[in-house]
Amino acid sequence: MDAAAGLAVETLLLMPIVAVYFIWLAGNAEHSFRFADPENALLLSLAGFITTVPLVLFNIAARALSMTVLGIMQYLAPSISFLVGVFLYGEPLGQVQLMSFGLIWTALIIFTIDGVTRQRRLERQLGSDITGS
């Protein structure tokens, strides 16, 4: 299913739950979407759009990539966030976190080496099939 259709289905499925929740919030005066504060109302209105656009663009881009590349990229974002948290924001880095990070990337390196080796073997096999040797 394409990105727009998938987003429409997800939105339609979640809309009744969200509507009930918003009604409950309004009844308990706990909602944040107050029209008395136009800046807040504008920011909350734009939040959905600002969240949706990158997700749709990611979905479109993900369809153009191989699953191997997409899988590796799915590890890059959290790893970059982890490194930013540790080095820029001073998040605590204990032995368990460091070992987990190392094990994840060791597995990714093994996976990548295996993928490259298989691809080269397949290319050699296809090359020898074409030349007849």
Side-chain angles (χ1 to χ4, degrees), residues 52-69:
T52 303
V53 169
L55 291 173
V56 170
L57 293 175
F58 174 79
N59 188 311
I60 292 167
R63 291 175 178 266
L65 298 172
S66 72
M67 287 296 172
T68 303
V69 171

Side-chain angles (χ1 to χ4, degrees), residues 57-107:
L57 293 175
F58 174 79
N59 188 311
I60 292 167
R63 291 175 178 266
L65 298 172
S66 72
M67 287 296 172
T68 303
V69 171
L70 188 59
I72 296 295
M73 287 179 61
Q74 293 288 48
Y75 281 96
L76 285 178
S79 296
I80 291 169
S81 296
F82 172 77
L83 294 172
V84 166
V86 169
F87 293 112
L88 292 181
Y89 295 110
E91 290 287 328
L93 179 62
Q95 186 176 5
V96 172
Q97 291 87 358
L98 195 56
M99 285 176 47
S100 298
F101 188 74
L103 286 173
I104 289 169
W105 275 98
T106 301

Side-chain angles (χ1 to χ4, degrees), residues 68 72 102-118 121:
T68 303
I72 296 295
L103 286 173
I104 289 169
W105 275 98
T106 301
L108 284 171
I109 290 168
I110 292 169
F111 174 76
T112 302
I113 291 170
D114 179 59
V116 168
T117 305
R118 284 177 191 243
R121 192 176 321 131

Side-chain angles (χ1 to χ4, degrees), residues 18-32:
V18 172
V20 168
Y21 181 62
F22 278 166
I23 291 168
W24 180 83
L25 285 176
N28 292 317
E30 294 186 23
H31 57 91
S32 296

